[in-house]
Amino acid sequence: MHKTLVAAAIAATLALTGCSSTAPTQHSNVEMVQTQNPFLQASKLQYEAPDFTQIKDEHFQPALERGIKEHYQEILTIANNPQAATFENTIVAMEKSGTLLNRTSKVFYNLTGSNSNPELRRVQGEMAPKMAAHSDNINLNPELFKRIETLYNQRAELGLSAEESRLVEVYYKRFVRAGAKLTEEQKQQIRVLNEEQSTLTNEFAQRLMRQTKEIAVIIDSKAQLAGLSDSAIKAAAIDAKANGHEGKYQLNITNTTRQPVLTQLEDRELRQQIWQASANRGLEGENETASLVARLAQLRAERALLLGYDNWAEYRLEPQMAKTPEAVYKMFGSMVPAVVKNTQKEAADIQSMIDKTGGNFELAPWDWAYYAELVRKEKFDLDEAAIRPYFEFDRVLEDGVFFTLKALYGVTLKPRPDLPVYHEDVKAYEMFDEDGTSMAIFYADYFSREGKRGGAWMSSFVTQSELLNSKPVVVNVMNIKKAPEGEPTFVSYDEVTTMFHEMGHGTHGMFSKVTYPTLSGTAVSRDFVEFPSTFEEDWAAHPKVLANYAKHYETGEPIPQELLGKLLKSRSFNQGFDTLEYMSAALVDLEWHTLEAGAPLQDVASFEAAALKKHGVDLPAVPPRYKSAYFAHAFPGGYSASYYAYMWSEILAADAFAYVQTQGGLDREIGMKFRKTIREVGNTVAPMDAYKAFRGQEPTTEALLERRGLN
């Protein structure tokens, strides 16, 4: 379920409130020669897509600092306007403000996640508290809030459209939740807490990226790699050489507890070494993150208390669909018995396979993936190696993901090799509607590399807005291991579904048809944003879609029906494990964020163990998908107290997908209904209202249990 970390870096940064109570000061490096910095003018490329031929690392900090200064002056002008507050001179004026800061930060925060380097990380560290302080200087401005509050109180009499009224409500709630109604003393406390939080979340993200390199496992002997394909071994040799280990092999660690390579490796000691490198990262050493986890939990609890909440989870969930931590605990609690029972049965099957194949040991976490694959082969007569040649990357993208978009929504994506990109592995496309109208620019950045954080996500370089006359410029990012030069890149079925998932986020941004940027695209609640993307995942297994992209990379022959049937039947395999490791991580996230203010710093390992035991999910062979020290969603990312959102959204997605199958399945008419009622409306409609406009009723959990094979 580690599908996406929607990298709305700008929104996350500006949503933080931090630092000093003073206005931004002028810095000499802000006074730049305009002709030398491309951010000072809008890009001349289509839809203002970034011109990466002109952008250099040294451009970011001066443009960001100047952007903060200009934006703040615009905000002061709005706040101190002597005329009575109107929707136009206050809300619309704010929507139009911050052009330079927005343009620069959109590019900057995308590159710090996908193509970072020491200079960008230095700038990121310096700018984090400044961006947080800037956010505070807006959200805690009393004169500005008075104008917003006036409009909020009068909104029913202002003759506003539904979208305008919702925008006023969003602004009002955002300011209140940032602390606008606090006393000046409390506001200062909020600023201090937020300055530290901003600094620590940035430090966490940077240490996490550095850990990836330092925990890579170096292997001396090729014999230890038995089970890996020749291509994978060759890639490991190339990686080792690139990092100064000529003649050896390097296996990189991805940002989850389980590691994909454990499915193939025969050497148990090596499997254990790899798993431990993954599971124990961040607990000690120069780049330890455990201390940051403990302190961030404290800071968030203290901030929540100042804002009138018992804990951070209560604060975070109030505007979400779930509303309360209790609702989330209830959702998981109702599922735990069935999931644990299913997982224990899977564990018993795996232990039997270990015994049958001569293994004289008890199942451990590093054994699960390897022996589960043997069980799957026996149970479904399905060999991963036999499937692999039918999942070549380009064919999956073009004949799978793009094919589905055209079939359901009538859109096509055409390569734009003329558009500059920020790395040679990135490809640019233009999206066209069925009538030939150009809709968006899309960047595909799918391959892992140094300088890219782990995981998969969607973000935007330009957000759609009719007010600003802007079309969306969107990027999908993943960490697929690229094959050596001249060889085809094959993807696992899990990576296939992730490609579909991230395009679900991508089209949520690219299909957006709203007036105001604040309400555009994916700017919805955390437990709704994963719904359109998870819905898109299931098309990867739709027979018509699979038959179109699952073709042999050499012959072009479609995957044999017998093999296809086995693959589809095997989809419910190992779902106990998949569900339990996800739920465990989500419950640990909630436990961290239901700590009360004043609680002492926690020992990370002990805290996790107690949380898992409390909820009855402490199966030794199935650790959480993310342990706290590398839980990017919950600590440096924007999913604190919100990792549950994937499951919450999956309820919606499974229910919607099941409904679509009764309405024609892969059919343009029902696809267009989904596009118009869910993807185009952004946050202009309350999430459940949007869902009911599509489905006609609220969802049930029946389809979710069916989807996961748990019914």
Short mmCIF file of all heavy atoms in Angstrom, two decimals, residues 141-185:
data_model
loop_
_atom_site.label_atom_id
_atom_site.label_comp_id
_atom_site.label_asym_id
_atom_site.label_seq_id
_atom_site.Cartn_x
_atom_site.Cartn_y
_atom_site.Cartn_z
N ASN A 141 -1.72 37.12 10.99
CA ASN A 141 -1.93 38.56 10.83
C ASN A 141 -3.35 38.91 11.26
O ASN A 141 -4.32 38.50 10.62
CB ASN A 141 -1.70 38.95 9.36
CG ASN A 141 -1.83 40.44 9.13
OD1 ASN A 141 -2.84 41.05 9.47
ND2 ASN A 141 -0.81 41.02 8.53
N PRO A 142 -3.53 39.66 12.35
CA PRO A 142 -4.87 39.90 12.87
C PRO A 142 -5.76 40.71 11.93
O PRO A 142 -6.97 40.46 11.85
CB PRO A 142 -4.62 40.65 14.19
CG PRO A 142 -3.24 41.22 14.06
CD PRO A 142 -2.48 40.27 13.19
N GLU A 143 -5.18 41.69 11.23
CA GLU A 143 -5.99 42.51 10.34
C GLU A 143 -6.50 41.69 9.15
O GLU A 143 -7.64 41.84 8.71
CB GLU A 143 -5.17 43.71 9.84
CG GLU A 143 -4.73 44.65 10.96
CD GLU A 143 -5.90 45.13 11.80
OE1 GLU A 143 -6.97 45.45 11.22
OE2 GLU A 143 -5.77 45.17 13.04
N LEU A 144 -5.63 40.82 8.65
CA LEU A 144 -6.04 39.98 7.53
C LEU A 144 -7.15 39.02 7.96
O LEU A 144 -8.14 38.82 7.24
CB LEU A 144 -4.83 39.19 7.01
CG LEU A 144 -5.07 38.31 5.79
CD1 LEU A 144 -5.53 39.13 4.59
CD2 LEU A 144 -3.79 37.53 5.44
N PHE A 145 -6.98 38.44 9.15
CA PHE A 145 -8.00 37.50 9.62
C PHE A 145 -9.34 38.20 9.85
O PHE A 145 -10.40 37.62 9.60
CB PHE A 145 -7.54 36.81 10.90
CG PHE A 145 -8.58 35.87 11.45
CD1 PHE A 145 -8.96 34.75 10.72
CD2 PHE A 145 -9.20 36.11 12.67
CE1 PHE A 145 -9.93 33.87 11.21
CE2 PHE A 145 -10.17 35.25 13.16
CZ PHE A 145 -10.53 34.13 12.43
N LYS A 146 -9.32 39.44 10.32
CA LYS A 146 -10.58 40.18 10.52
C LYS A 146 -11.37 40.26 9.22
O LYS A 146 -12.59 40.11 9.20
CB LYS A 146 -10.29 41.58 11.04
CG LYS A 146 -9.94 41.66 12.51
CD LYS A 146 -9.66 43.10 12.92
CE LYS A 146 -9.16 43.18 14.35
NZ LYS A 146 -8.80 44.58 14.74
N ARG A 147 -10.66 40.51 8.13
CA ARG A 147 -11.33 40.62 6.83
C ARG A 147 -11.91 39.27 6.42
O ARG A 147 -13.05 39.17 5.95
CB ARG A 147 -10.34 41.13 5.77
CG ARG A 147 -9.76 42.49 6.07
CD ARG A 147 -8.76 42.94 5.01
NE ARG A 147 -9.43 43.29 3.76
CZ ARG A 147 -9.96 44.49 3.50
NH1 ARG A 147 -9.90 45.45 4.39
NH2 ARG A 147 -10.54 44.72 2.34
N ILE A 148 -11.14 38.21 6.62
CA ILE A 148 -11.62 36.88 6.25
C ILE A 148 -12.80 36.48 7.13
O ILE A 148 -13.80 35.93 6.65
CB ILE A 148 -10.47 35.86 6.38
CG1 ILE A 148 -9.39 36.15 5.33
CG2 ILE A 148 -10.98 34.43 6.23
CD1 ILE A 148 -8.11 35.38 5.52
N GLU A 149 -12.71 36.77 8.42
CA GLU A 149 -13.79 36.42 9.35
C GLU A 149 -15.07 37.19 9.01
O GLU A 149 -16.18 36.63 9.08
CB GLU A 149 -13.36 36.72 10.78
CG GLU A 149 -14.35 36.23 11.82
CD GLU A 149 -13.82 36.41 13.23
OE1 GLU A 149 -13.13 37.44 13.49
OE2 GLU A 149 -14.06 35.52 14.08
N THR A 150 -14.92 38.44 8.63
CA THR A 150 -16.08 39.23 8.23
C THR A 150 -16.79 38.59 7.04
O THR A 150 -18.02 38.44 7.02
CB THR A 150 -15.66 40.67 7.87
OG1 THR A 150 -15.11 41.30 9.03
CG2 THR A 150 -16.84 41.48 7.36
N LEU A 151 -16.03 38.21 6.04
CA LEU A 151 -16.61 37.58 4.86
C LEU A 151 -17.24 36.23 5.20
O LEU A 151 -18.30 35.88 4.68
CB LEU A 151 -15.54 37.40 3.78
CG LEU A 151 -14.96 38.69 3.19
CD1 LEU A 151 -13.79 38.39 2.27
CD2 LEU A 151 -16.04 39.47 2.44
N TYR A 152 -16.59 35.49 6.09
CA TYR A 152 -17.12 34.19 6.50
C TYR A 152 -18.48 34.37 7.19
O TYR A 152 -19.44 33.64 6.90
CB TYR A 152 -16.13 33.51 7.44
CG TYR A 152 -16.61 32.19 7.99
CD1 TYR A 152 -16.59 31.04 7.21
CD2 TYR A 152 -17.10 32.11 9.30
CE1 TYR A 152 -17.04 29.82 7.72
CE2 TYR A 152 -17.54 30.90 9.82
CZ TYR A 152 -17.50 29.76 9.02
OH TYR A 152 -17.96 28.57 9.53
N ASN A 153 -18.57 35.34 8.07
CA ASN A 153 -19.83 35.57 8.79
C ASN A 153 -20.94 36.09 7.88
O ASN A 153 -22.13 35.87 8.16
CB ASN A 153 -19.60 36.55 9.94
CG ASN A 153 -18.74 35.95 11.05
OD1 ASN A 153 -18.71 34.73 11.22
ND2 ASN A 153 -18.04 36.79 11.78
N GLN A 154 -20.56 36.76 6.79
CA GLN A 154 -21.54 37.36 5.89
C GLN A 154 -21.77 36.53 4.62
O GLN A 154 -22.51 36.96 3.74
CB GLN A 154 -21.08 38.77 5.48
CG GLN A 154 -20.96 39.75 6.62
CD GLN A 154 -20.38 41.09 6.17
OE1 GLN A 154 -19.93 41.24 5.03
NE2 GLN A 154 -20.36 42.06 7.09
N ARG A 155 -21.14 35.37 4.53
CA ARG A 155 -21.09 34.65 3.26
C ARG A 155 -22.47 34.32 2.69
O ARG A 155 -22.65 34.30 1.46
CB ARG A 155 -20.25 33.38 3.38
CG ARG A 155 -20.81 32.31 4.30
CD ARG A 155 -19.75 31.24 4.57
NE ARG A 155 -20.25 30.12 5.35
CZ ARG A 155 -20.45 30.15 6.66
NH1 ARG A 155 -20.20 31.27 7.34
NH2 ARG A 155 -20.89 29.08 7.30
N ALA A 156 -23.44 34.10 3.55
CA ALA A 156 -24.78 33.74 3.06
C ALA A 156 -25.47 34.92 2.38
O ALA A 156 -26.40 34.73 1.59
CB ALA A 156 -25.63 33.22 4.21
N GLU A 157 -25.02 36.15 2.68
CA GLU A 157 -25.67 37.34 2.12
C GLU A 157 -24.88 38.00 1.00
O GLU A 157 -25.26 39.06 0.51
CB GLU A 157 -25.88 38.37 3.25
CG GLU A 157 -26.70 37.87 4.41
CD GLU A 157 -26.00 38.07 5.75
OE1 GLU A 157 -25.37 39.13 5.93
OE2 GLU A 157 -26.09 37.15 6.59
N LEU A 158 -23.76 37.42 0.61
CA LEU A 158 -22.88 38.08 -0.36
C LEU A 158 -23.17 37.69 -1.81
O LEU A 158 -22.50 38.19 -2.72
CB LEU A 158 -21.42 37.75 -0.02
CG LEU A 158 -20.90 38.29 1.31
CD1 LEU A 158 -19.46 37.85 1.55
CD2 LEU A 158 -21.01 39.81 1.36
N GLY A 159 -24.13 36.81 -2.02
CA GLY A 159 -24.43 36.40 -3.39
C GLY A 159 -23.32 35.61 -4.04
O GLY A 159 -23.10 35.69 -5.26
N LEU A 160 -22.60 34.83 -3.25
CA LEU A 160 -21.47 34.06 -3.76
C LEU A 160 -21.94 32.79 -4.46
O LEU A 160 -22.97 32.22 -4.11
CB LEU A 160 -20.53 33.68 -2.60
CG LEU A 160 -19.94 34.82 -1.77
CD1 LEU A 160 -19.14 34.24 -0.61
CD2 LEU A 160 -19.07 35.73 -2.63
N SER A 161 -21.14 32.34 -5.41
CA SER A 161 -21.39 31.04 -6.03
C SER A 161 -21.02 29.96 -5.03
O SER A 161 -20.38 30.22 -4.00
CB SER A 161 -20.56 30.88 -7.30
OG SER A 161 -19.17 30.77 -6.97
N ALA A 162 -21.39 28.73 -5.34
CA ALA A 162 -21.07 27.61 -4.43
C ALA A 162 -19.56 27.49 -4.25
O ALA A 162 -19.07 27.26 -3.13
CB ALA A 162 -21.66 26.32 -4.98
N GLU A 163 -18.80 27.65 -5.34
CA GLU A 163 -17.34 27.54 -5.25
C GLU A 163 -16.77 28.69 -4.43
O GLU A 163 -15.85 28.49 -3.62
CB GLU A 163 -16.71 27.51 -6.64
CG GLU A 163 -15.20 27.34 -6.60
CD GLU A 163 -14.55 27.22 -7.97
OE1 GLU A 163 -15.28 27.03 -8.97
OE2 GLU A 163 -13.31 27.32 -8.05
N GLU A 164 -17.28 29.89 -4.63
CA GLU A 164 -16.78 31.05 -3.89
C GLU A 164 -17.07 30.90 -2.40
O GLU A 164 -16.22 31.19 -1.55
CB GLU A 164 -17.42 32.33 -4.43
CG GLU A 164 -16.92 32.69 -5.83
CD GLU A 164 -17.76 33.76 -6.50
OE1 GLU A 164 -18.89 34.02 -6.02
OE2 GLU A 164 -17.30 34.33 -7.51
N SER A 165 -18.27 30.44 -2.08
CA SER A 165 -18.63 30.24 -0.67
C SER A 165 -17.74 29.20 -0.02
O SER A 165 -17.27 29.37 1.12
CB SER A 165 -20.10 29.81 -0.57
OG SER A 165 -20.48 29.64 0.78
N ARG A 166 -17.46 28.10 -0.75
CA ARG A 166 -16.57 27.07 -0.19
C ARG A 166 -15.16 27.62 0.00
O ARG A 166 -14.50 27.31 1.00
CB ARG A 166 -16.55 25.84 -1.10
CG ARG A 166 -15.69 24.71 -0.51
CD ARG A 166 -16.04 23.37 -1.07
NE ARG A 166 -15.21 22.31 -0.52
CZ ARG A 166 -15.44 21.69 0.63
NH1 ARG A 166 -16.47 22.04 1.38
NH2 ARG A 166 -14.65 20.73 1.06
N LEU A 167 -14.69 28.46 -0.92
CA LEU A 167 -13.36 29.04 -0.78
C LEU A 167 -13.26 29.90 0.47
O LEU A 167 -12.26 29.85 1.19
CB LEU A 167 -13.02 29.85 -2.03
CG LEU A 167 -11.61 30.46 -2.08
CD1 LEU A 167 -10.55 29.37 -2.04
CD2 LEU A 167 -11.45 31.32 -3.33
N VAL A 168 -14.28 30.70 0.74
CA VAL A 168 -14.30 31.52 1.96
C VAL A 168 -14.23 30.62 3.19
O VAL A 168 -13.47 30.89 4.13
CB VAL A 168 -15.56 32.41 2.01
CG1 VAL A 168 -15.67 33.09 3.38
CG2 VAL A 168 -15.52 33.46 0.90
N GLU A 169 -14.99 29.55 3.20
CA GLU A 169 -14.98 28.62 4.32
C GLU A 169 -13.61 27.97 4.49
O GLU A 169 -13.11 27.83 5.62
CB GLU A 169 -16.04 27.54 4.12
CG GLU A 169 -17.46 28.05 4.19
CD GLU A 169 -18.48 26.98 3.84
OE1 GLU A 169 -18.07 25.82 3.62
OE2 GLU A 169 -19.68 27.30 3.79
N VAL A 170 -12.98 27.59 3.39
CA VAL A 170 -11.65 26.97 3.45
C VAL A 170 -10.64 27.95 4.04
O VAL A 170 -9.82 27.59 4.90
CB VAL A 170 -11.21 26.50 2.05
CG1 VAL A 170 -9.72 26.16 2.03
CG2 VAL A 170 -12.03 25.28 1.62
N TYR A 171 -10.67 29.19 3.59
CA TYR A 171 -9.74 30.20 4.12
C TYR A 171 -9.97 30.42 5.62
O TYR A 171 -9.01 30.46 6.40
CB TYR A 171 -9.92 31.53 3.37
CG TYR A 171 -8.92 31.73 2.26
CD1 TYR A 171 -9.25 31.46 0.94
CD2 TYR A 171 -7.63 32.20 2.53
CE1 TYR A 171 -8.34 31.65 -0.08
CE2 TYR A 171 -6.71 32.39 1.52
CZ TYR A 171 -7.06 32.11 0.21
OH TYR A 171 -6.14 32.30 -0.80
N TYR A 172 -11.21 30.58 5.99
CA TYR A 172 -11.52 30.85 7.40
C TYR A 172 -11.03 29.71 8.30
O TYR A 172 -10.34 29.93 9.31
CB TYR A 172 -13.02 31.05 7.59
CG TYR A 172 -13.43 31.22 9.03
CD1 TYR A 172 -13.21 32.41 9.70
CD2 TYR A 172 -14.02 30.15 9.73
CE1 TYR A 172 -13.58 32.56 11.04
CE2 TYR A 172 -14.38 30.30 11.06
CZ TYR A 172 -14.15 31.50 11.71
OH TYR A 172 -14.51 31.64 13.03
N LYS A 173 -11.34 28.48 7.93
CA LYS A 173 -10.94 27.34 8.74
C LYS A 173 -9.42 27.17 8.76
O LYS A 173 -8.84 26.80 9.79
CB LYS A 173 -11.63 26.07 8.22
CG LYS A 173 -13.13 26.07 8.47
CD LYS A 173 -13.81 24.85 7.85
CE LYS A 173 -15.32 24.89 8.07
NZ LYS A 173 -16.00 23.74 7.44
N ARG A 174 -8.79 27.46 7.64
CA ARG A 174 -7.32 27.35 7.58
C ARG A 174 -6.69 28.33 8.56
O ARG A 174 -5.75 27.98 9.30
CB ARG A 174 -6.83 27.63 6.17
CG ARG A 174 -5.31 27.62 6.04
CD ARG A 174 -4.86 28.10 4.68
NE ARG A 174 -5.28 27.20 3.62
CZ ARG A 174 -5.07 27.45 2.33
NH1 ARG A 174 -4.49 28.56 1.95
NH2 ARG A 174 -5.47 26.59 1.42
N PHE A 175 -7.17 29.56 8.59
CA PHE A 175 -6.59 30.56 9.49
C PHE A 175 -6.86 30.22 10.95
O PHE A 175 -5.98 30.36 11.80
CB PHE A 175 -7.14 31.95 9.14
CG PHE A 175 -6.33 32.67 8.09
CD1 PHE A 175 -6.28 32.20 6.79
CD2 PHE A 175 -5.59 33.79 8.41
CE1 PHE A 175 -5.54 32.84 5.82
CE2 PHE A 175 -4.82 34.45 7.45
CZ PHE A 175 -4.80 33.98 6.14
N VAL A 176 -8.08 29.79 11.25
CA VAL A 176 -8.40 29.42 12.63
C VAL A 176 -7.51 28.27 13.08
O VAL A 176 -6.96 28.28 14.19
CB VAL A 176 -9.89 29.04 12.75
CG1 VAL A 176 -10.17 28.43 14.12
CG2 VAL A 176 -10.77 30.27 12.53
N ARG A 177 -7.35 27.27 12.22
CA ARG A 177 -6.55 26.10 12.58
C ARG A 177 -5.06 26.44 12.67
O ARG A 177 -4.29 25.73 13.30
CB ARG A 177 -6.80 24.97 11.58
CG ARG A 177 -8.15 24.31 11.76
CD ARG A 177 -8.47 23.33 10.65
NE ARG A 177 -7.45 22.31 10.52
CZ ARG A 177 -7.27 21.28 11.33
NH1 ARG A 177 -8.09 21.12 12.36
NH2 ARG A 177 -6.32 20.40 11.14
N ALA A 178 -4.65 27.53 12.04
CA ALA A 178 -3.26 27.97 12.15
C ALA A 178 -3.01 28.79 13.41
O ALA A 178 -1.86 29.03 13.78
CB ALA A 178 -2.88 28.80 10.93
N GLY A 179 -4.10 29.23 14.08
CA GLY A 179 -3.94 29.96 15.33
C GLY A 179 -4.40 31.40 15.29
O GLY A 179 -4.06 32.18 16.19
N ALA A 180 -5.18 31.78 14.30
CA ALA A 180 -5.57 33.18 14.13
C ALA A 180 -6.38 33.72 15.31
O ALA A 180 -6.40 34.93 15.56
CB ALA A 180 -6.37 33.35 12.83
N LYS A 181 -7.06 32.85 16.06
CA LYS A 181 -7.89 33.31 17.18
C LYS A 181 -7.16 33.25 18.53
O LYS A 181 -7.76 33.54 19.56
CB LYS A 181 -9.17 32.47 17.25
CG LYS A 181 -10.18 32.80 16.16
CD LYS A 181 -11.53 32.17 16.46
CE LYS A 181 -12.60 32.73 15.54
NZ LYS A 181 -13.96 32.23 15.89
N LEU A 182 -5.89 32.90 18.51
CA LEU A 182 -5.14 32.81 19.75
C LEU A 182 -4.74 34.19 20.26
O LEU A 182 -4.75 35.17 19.51
CB LEU A 182 -3.88 31.96 19.55
CG LEU A 182 -4.09 30.51 19.12
CD1 LEU A 182 -2.74 29.83 18.93
CD2 LEU A 182 -4.95 29.74 20.11
N THR A 183 -4.34 34.25 21.52
CA THR A 183 -3.78 35.49 22.06
C THR A 183 -2.40 35.71 21.45
O THR A 183 -1.80 34.79 20.89
CB THR A 183 -3.64 35.40 23.59
OG1 THR A 183 -2.66 34.40 23.90
CG2 THR A 183 -4.97 35.04 24.24
N GLU A 184 -1.89 36.93 21.62
CA GLU A 184 -0.56 37.22 21.06
C GLU A 184 0.50 36.34 21.71
O GLU A 184 1.45 35.90 21.06
CB GLU A 184 -0.22 38.70 21.26
CG GLU A 184 -0.97 39.62 20.32
CD GLU A 184 -0.79 39.24 18.86
OE1 GLU A 184 0.38 39.01 18.44
OE2 GLU A 184 -1.79 39.14 18.13
N GLU A 185 0.35 36.08 23.01
CA GLU A 185 1.31 35.21 23.69
C GLU A 185 1.26 33.80 23.12
O GLU A 185 2.29 33.16 22.88
CB GLU A 185 1.01 35.18 25.18
CG GLU A 185 2.00 34.32 25.98
CD GLU A 185 1.67 34.26 27.46
OE1 GLU A 185 0.70 34.93 27.88
OE2 GLU A 185 2.38 33.54 28.20
#
